[in-house]
């Protein structure tokens, strides 16, 4: 793995070129261009705010605690991070099947292609950070959000999320070449993960529910749970994951990265043969 990381680092310029190309191709025939990476999560945030912040506001605010008065910020913080997750997983799954000609002709580590999809979607997430900061400053001026040391949760959240997504991208992209059902299966999994992760609701809603203990434990084994708690903790320190959840999140993400890297290297000869 060390030699593989070294080879990947030596081809970082190729990775940068691939990311730029993917972004250019994605928005080349779009009038609004990169603005779509902001419009979509903001539109989703408006819909969920209307449903849970207006129609069901009584049930929602009962579990939000300090986030109740700034629920729109809570929403878009989770949705912006979720758009990075869902887009990266969707596009990384077919990163090899959709670029077979480049893969068989370019002399670069094949990991560059799925990792490039994760990096490209991170660029879109980063483009939305100024909006999150602007909204947070508005609520801070109103006294409903306090900005302080909790801002340090952002680099931690981004780092752990990147580790998890790279591992999943390597795993899914290789398996999808050999079993094309993986791409269809992931569409369902992504929808399930959206509601099985504290994105539009707080984790306390699950912990205080009447679900069996074993189900709550299984729920928190999902690394995305701790990752999105870190994202929410940027503005709401009370949402910072406890030691057990944080250790589960970091450890689970590292295990996924190792499993993804190992599987990709083992399957690479069969993948190239299939392509």
């Amino acid at each position: 793995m060390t030699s593989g990381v070294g080879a990947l680092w030596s081809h970082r310029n190729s990775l940068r070129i691939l990311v730029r190309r993917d972004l250019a191709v994605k928005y080349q025939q779009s009038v609004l261009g990169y603005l779509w990476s902001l419009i979509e999560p903001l539109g989703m945030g408006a819909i969920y705010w209307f449903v849970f912040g207006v129609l069901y506001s009584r049930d929602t605010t009962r579990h939000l605690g300090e986030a109740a008065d700034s629920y729109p910020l809570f929403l878009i913080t989770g949705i912006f991070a979720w758009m990075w997750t869902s887009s990266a997983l969707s596009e990384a799954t077919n990163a090899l099947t959709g670029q077979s000609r480049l893969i068989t002709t370019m002399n670069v580590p094949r990991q560059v292609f799925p990792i490039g999809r994760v990096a490209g979607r991170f660029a879109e997430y980063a483009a939305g950070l100024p909006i999150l900061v602007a909204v947070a400053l508005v609520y801070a001026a109103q006294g409903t959000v306090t900005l302080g040391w909790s801002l340090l949760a952002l680099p931690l959240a981004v780092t752990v999320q990147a580790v998890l997504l790279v591992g999943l991208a390597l795993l899914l992209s290789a398996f999808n070449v050999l079993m094309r059902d993986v791409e269809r299966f992931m569409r369902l999994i992504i929808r399930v993960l959206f509601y099985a992760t504290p994105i539009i609701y707080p984790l306390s809603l699950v912990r205080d529910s009447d679900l069996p203990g074993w189900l709550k434990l299984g729920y928190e084994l999902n690394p995305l749970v701790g990752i999105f708690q870190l994202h929410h903790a940027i503005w709401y320190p009370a949402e910072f994951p406890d030691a057990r959840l944080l250790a589960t999140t970091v450890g689970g993400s590292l295990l996924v990265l190792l499993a993804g890297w190992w599987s990709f290297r083992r399957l690479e000869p069969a993948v190239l043969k299939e392509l």
Side-chain angles (χ1 to χ4, degrees):
M1 184 173 180
T2 303
S3 61
V5 172
L8 190 63
W9 176 253
S10 65
H11 289 85
R12 60 189 180 278
N13 289 331
S14 300
L15 176 61
R16 184 172 65 251
I17 291 171
L18 285 173
V19 171
R20 288 181 176 177
R21 187 210 63 167
D22 288 343
L23 290 173
V25 169
K26 184 175 181 178
Y27 298 111
Q28 66 179 353
Q29 294 181 333
S30 173
V31 176
L32 297 178
Y34 292 107
L35 288 178
W36 280 114
S37 64
L38 307 177
I39 294 173
E40 187 175 358
L42 289 175
M44 289 179 60
I47 292 171
Y48 286 112
W49 170 78
F50 177 74
V51 174
F52 297 103
V54 177
L55 299 182
Y56 297 99
S57 59
R58 182 176 300 178
D59 295 331
T60 302
T61 54
R62 187 159 49 94
H63 292 275
L64 282 174
E66 63 177 308
D69 296 330
S70 55
Y71 183 50
L73 176 61
F74 184 92
L75 266 180
I76 62 174
T77 298
I79 290 177
F80 267 102
W82 171 251
M83 293 303 296
W84 176 22
T85 301
S86 61
S87 299
L89 293 181
S90 298
E91 297 185 19
T93 301
N94 61 9
L96 301 181
T97 56
Q99 304 180 93
S100 57
R101 183 173 298 180
L102 281 176
I103 293 169
T104 54
T105 56
M106 288 183 65
N107 185 23
V108 297
R110 275 74 186 191
Q111 294 94 327
V112 163
F113 297 94
I115 293 176
R117 295 298 176 86
V118 176
R121 304 297 74 78
F122 170 73
E124 295 176 342
Y125 168 75
L129 286 178
I131 292 181
L132 290 179
V133 173
V135 176
L137 289 175
V138 171
Y139 283 110
Q142 298 174 357
T144 55
V145 171
T146 302
L147 304 182
W149 65 267
S150 60
L151 295 175
L152 297 176
L154 176 59
L156 179 59
V158 168
T159 301
V160 178
Q161 187 171 352
V163 167
L164 177 66
L165 291 180
V166 167
L168 289 174
L170 293 172
L171 194 66
L172 295 172
S173 60
F175 276 107
N176 189 54
V177 175
L178 305 177
M179 298 179 292
R180 300 302 172 94
D181 291 336
V182 171
E183 186 174 357
R184 296 182 177 88
F185 182 68
M186 281 307 299
R187 295 173 190 169
L188 173 62
I189 293 298
I190 289 173
R191 291 172 186 166
V192 172
L193 283 176
F194 179 79
Y195 294 101
T197 306
I199 300 171
I200 60 176
Y201 59 85
L203 178 60
S204 60
L205 182 64
V206 177
R207 287 180 168 176
D208 296 340
S209 67
D210 296 328
L211 292 173
W214 63 268
L215 190 55
K216 294 180 182 179
L217 179 62
Y219 173 88
E220 295 189 17
L221 288 177
N222 173 14
L224 287 175
V225 172
I227 289 171
F228 278 88
Q229 284 299 102
L230 286 172
H231 279 287
H232 289 309
I234 298 170
W235 322 113
Y236 310 101
E239 297 295 324
F240 196 89
D242 55 47
R244 180 175 61 86
L245 181 57
L246 184 60
T248 301
T249 299
V250 175
S253 299
L254 289 174
L255 284 176
V256 170
L257 176 62
L258 292 173
W261 194 281
W262 180 82
S263 299
F264 192 95
R265 293 301 299 269
R266 289 295 300 269
L267 295 174
E268 188 173 359
V271 167
L272 292 177
K273 182 178 180 180
E274 185 68 21
L275 292 175

